[in-house]
Amino acid sequence: RKLFEKIHRAVGSFGLSGLDRLLCFMMVRELQNFQRLLQRQVMKDKNWMEYFSQITRLLNPLQGTVAQPQKTYAQAVSKTSRLWPQFVDIILGVGQLQLLRRQIAYELN
């Protein structure tokens, strides 16, 4: 919190507002990277699409519960485990940018 007070004193409200806009654009870029990664690694891969349609059929209807949840979810997580690291990096980056924006909004108010 003290860091953002110092930044506010150094660059003023307009500078802090500009920093907020910069963080917004950075988030958009990260989300575009996420979408591009999803398109390249999942949507264009026939095997992944078949697997996800299998999982969708297995998990429907949404009102009930899965017959063997521990087995079903463990298999799904292990099968998709190689996708997670790249997606998690992007999602964590967006989350950190959101936290920074929240601090800036707090400082501006």
Side-chain angles (χ1 to χ4, degrees):
R1 185 172 151 167
K2 289 182 180 183
L3 172 67
F4 287 96
E5 289 174 5
K6 289 180 181 180
I7 293 173
H8 191 198
R9 274 187 263 130
V11 296
S13 294
F14 292 113
L16 213 49
S17 182
L19 181 59
D20 182 55
R21 275 189 84 165
L22 175 66
L23 293 176
C24 285
F25 286 118
M26 290 172 69
M27 279 194 313
V28 167
R29 189 194 66 211
E30 287 297 315
L31 291 171
Q32 287 171 340
N33 288 341
F34 181 83
Q35 183 181 18
R36 207 173 0 258
L37 187 65
L38 188 64
Q39 286 287 335
R40 263 196 328 250
Q41 290 193 347
V42 178
M43 304 302 264
K44 289 185 179 178
D45 189 340
K46 188 177 178 180
N47 294 328
W48 280 120
M49 293 308 292
E50 286 177 16
Y51 179 72
F52 285 122
S53 62
Q54 279 179 340
I55 291 293
T56 302
R57 283 192 302 275
L58 186 63
L59 296 177
N60 281 328
L62 298 177
Q63 291 79 20
T65 57
V66 179
Q68 297 174 333
Q70 290 177 326
K71 180 182 176 187
T72 303
Y73 292 120
Q75 285 177 347
V77 168
S78 69
K79 175 94 173 163
T80 59
S81 65
R82 68 183 174 107
L83 292 175
W84 293 120
Q86 295 164 326
F87 291 147
V88 167
D89 287 342
I90 293 173
I91 292 168
L92 287 176
V94 170
Q96 288 172 349
L97 291 170
Q98 276 291 83
L99 291 173
L100 289 172
R101 287 195 64 225
R102 192 174 217 175
Q103 288 287 10
I104 289 171
Y106 176 78
E107 187 61 37
L108 286 172
N109 289 331

